[in-house]
Amino acid sequence: YYTEQLEESRHSLGISERIYLFISSSMPIATLRSYAADLDALKDRNIILVMKGFVNGARYISPTAKFITKVLKKKETCSLPEERCEMMSLPLIVDPLLFARYSVERVPAFVYARGLQLIDIEMSEGLDMNASAQDYYKLTGEAKLDYILEKIYEETKSASIKNLLSVLRKGYYR
């Protein structure tokens, strides 16, 4: 109990909550970087960027690594490998099972899941045998992150989402 309470106090989202942002390399880089910057400002490890597969297939990792680097570089003009680039600290995973679990067919898609129960944290949260969520709310389409969080809050009345929205808007209006 104590460790769970301590873990939750470090995040805006509780240990049994997730926000998944489903993305693709076909999305405009400017849009992806905008989402990444907002999510980086929230500093919440339970907000996860999810790709369905590797860029140009799993045979070569380099195109995917280059894509991820483009999205997560803090300074867009920083040039790897010539210089050291500071990166945003965001979880980004490739997990087609999460796409299937939440019936994501178009990106960007935002899923807020709560009541998440995991058996093994090393396995996909998209596997039915590993994870179950009490409920979830999904939005698709491009919009500002604060708008997305507002819509999720209106539907779910989640205190965690309200807190994230407050943190995000504080950043906009400093």
Side-chain angles (χ1 to χ4, degrees), residues 56-148:
N56 298 330
R59 186 171 177 176
Y60 301 103
I61 193 74
S62 182
T64 303
K66 286 178 183 174
F67 167 73
I68 292 169
T69 300
K70 257 193 225 181
V71 173
L72 297 183
K73 282 189 301 186
K74 281 196 176 186
K75 186 178 173 188
E76 189 174 11
T77 58
C78 185
S79 179
L80 279 170
E82 294 82 32
E83 59 184 304
R84 231 182 135 135
C85 300
E86 189 178 358
M87 304 297 281
M88 293 179 231
S89 180
L90 295 174
L92 190 148
I93 62 173
V94 175
D95 192 342
L97 299 173
L98 277 171
F99 272 76
R101 170 177 283 254
Y102 296 109
S103 303
V104 174
E105 295 177 10
R106 293 187 342 217
V107 294
F110 300 82
V111 171
Y112 167 61
R114 60 182 168 188
L116 188 67
Q117 294 184 343
L118 293 174
I119 294 170
D120 184 346
I121 61 168
E122 297 293 320
M123 292 175 64
S124 170
E125 293 179 9
L127 274 173
D128 287 337
M129 62 182 253
N130 183 51
S132 63
Q134 181 181 359
D135 64 358
Y136 71 92
Y137 181 72
K138 179 173 77 172
L139 283 168
T140 57
E142 188 177 330
K144 291 268 188 199
L145 186 60
D146 66 327
Y147 175 81
I148 296 293

Side-chain angles (χ1 to χ4, degrees), residues 21-37:
L21 170 48
F22 294 89
I23 64 168
S24 166
S25 62
S26 65
M27 292 173 59
I29 289 294
T31 300
L32 291 165
R33 288 185 49 74
S34 176
Y35 286 137

